[in-house]
Each structure stands twice: as structure tokens, then as C-alpha cells.
Amino acid sequence: MAKLASVLRAEGFSVVVTREPGGTATGEKIRRLLLDTATAGLSPPAELALMFASRAQHIAEVIQPALVEGSIVLCDRFTDSTEAYQGGGRKLGSQPVLALHRILCGDLQPDLTILMDSDVTASVERARRRNKADAHKNGRGKNDENRFEQESRAFFGRVHSAYLAIAARDTHRVALVDARGTANQTHTKIVEIVRRKFKLAAKTA
């Protein structure tokens, strides 16, 4: 996402880079609660509600103001992730997620969603390594961001299937990218998609 932001800024765009859950002071507190392995016994509906609490604040405080100012907002995860993780992974289904999105988010939709598809097992292992390294670096000990990464293979299979179903349903918005190559190869594919979407001239440099 940082590489994409650099490309867009070089084109003269104002770019806001943010993430979910999080993106605001309140959202980051919710993120710590949701992703910390010390959080136990959280029911799926409560988890869903917390995701949308963070998102509603994020939209009001960061996303909408940036859009009003004419900036491009690059957000790491949005409602599609909630539909995949809580709707698919937690088996809550898509309808509660989409209903809450309409109620709490005003049905705000991204102009473009990049779905990076890769091997589920490899992706989870990479996330576990990254989160453990971050926890060690920041002195958080066991208070890392591994709560979801500790889920079962079946859980992530459901998440993956839900993501693919979203991509198949919303073809006008979701671009599926094979992310099994190197980081640079994936970045090149993403930039090509973004250039087509925003009708930017291709560059050979």
C-alpha cells in the first residue's frame, strides 16, 4: 500500500493511507482489543459490532473528510474483510454485515478494491511471523496481533471462500490479483489495475 501511495503521489494526487480496524485513536484502541491474543471469549456478534464501531468512527473522522478534500484514500481492509472474517469465518453470514454497513456507514463503497489472492497456509504463516516480530520489537510480549492468526485452517478456508464470493459478486469494484509471486511482481499488477481504473498513462520507468 505504501508503494501504491508513492506512485499516486508522484502523479500529483493527495493520498491518505489508513487501516482497519483502527485509523483513529478510538479505532486503534478497538484494534488492540480485537487482535490481542489476551482477548478471550468474545462472541462473534460482539466482534462484529466492534469492527463496525471502529469503522463508523474511521469514516467520520478520517475517510469522509479526506474524500471531501479531494484526496484518494487507501485503506488496508474495509467492510469486505468483515464480510469475509465475521460473515464467513465466524459463520454469521453476509446479510448482518451488509445491513450494518448500510446503517452505520451510509453504504459508503470503495471505488476500487484490490483483493490479493494467495495460498491460505502461506499467508497465515507470514502474518504470524510478522505479528510475532512486531510484538517482540514493540515489547508487547504476548499482547501481539495474533488472535485471528491462531484460528483453524477451516476458519481461514471459510474466509478465503467468502473473499472469492465477494469478488465474483462485485466484479465492477473488486479486482482479483494473484499475489503468489514476489512483492514487486504483485505491486506491478496492482499499479496496472489502478492506472486503468483512474485512466492514468502507463509508464515504462
Side-chain angles (χ1 to χ4, degrees), residues 110-112 172-173 191-200:
D111 294 297
L112 173 65
H172 64 287
R173 173 178 62 83
V191 171
E192 288 174 355
I193 291 168
V194 171
R195 286 193 180 281
R196 286 199 302 269
K197 177 69 176 181
F198 294 102
K199 297 181 174 57
L200 302 178

Side-chain angles (χ1 to χ4, degrees), residues 4 6 20-21 27 38 43 48-49 51 56 62 66 79 91-92 98 137 143-144 149 158 160 164 177 186 196:
L4 176 59
S6 295
E20 289 198 356
S43 73
L48 176 64
M51 288 290 184
V62 176
T79 298
K91 302 181 181 180
L92 292 176
L98 298 179
K137 180 175 64 177
N143 296 323
D144 54 19
E149 279 71 31
R158 292 193 298 273
H160 186 246
L164 294 181
V177 173
T186 302
R196 286 199 302 269

Side-chain angles (χ1 to χ4, degrees), residues 50-69:
L50 285 168
M51 288 290 184
F52 272 105
S54 175
R55 181 164 299 126
Q57 184 65 26
H58 191 206
I59 290 172
E61 190 174 330
V62 176
I63 297 177
Q64 281 287 19
L67 293 175
V68 168
E69 291 177 358

Side-chain angles (χ1 to χ4, degrees), residues 48-117:
L48 176 64
L50 285 168
M51 288 290 184
F52 272 105
S54 175
R55 181 164 299 126
Q57 184 65 26
H58 191 206
I59 290 172
E61 190 174 330
V62 176
I63 297 177
Q64 281 287 19
L67 293 175
V68 168
E69 291 177 358
S71 296
I72 291 177
V73 178
L74 298 183
C75 186
D76 182 3
R77 301 184 184 275
F78 198 59
T79 298
D80 289 337
S81 293
T82 305
E83 187 176 353
Y85 275 81
Q86 283 70 50
R90 300 293 188 214
K91 302 181 181 180
L92 292 176
S94 294
Q95 292 310 309
V97 177
L98 298 179
L100 282 173
H101 183 80
R102 286 191 295 271
I103 294 168
L104 298 176
C105 306
D107 208 23
L108 177 69
Q109 294 292 343
D111 294 297
L112 173 65
T113 299
I114 303 291
L115 175 56
M116 293 185 288
D117 187 27

Side-chain angles (χ1 to χ4, degrees), residues 31-52:
R31 180 187 181 90
R32 288 194 290 274
L33 175 64
L34 282 166
L35 304 187
D36 195 331
T37 51
T39 300
L42 191 64
S43 73
E47 185 177 273
L48 176 64
L50 285 168
M51 288 290 184
F52 272 105

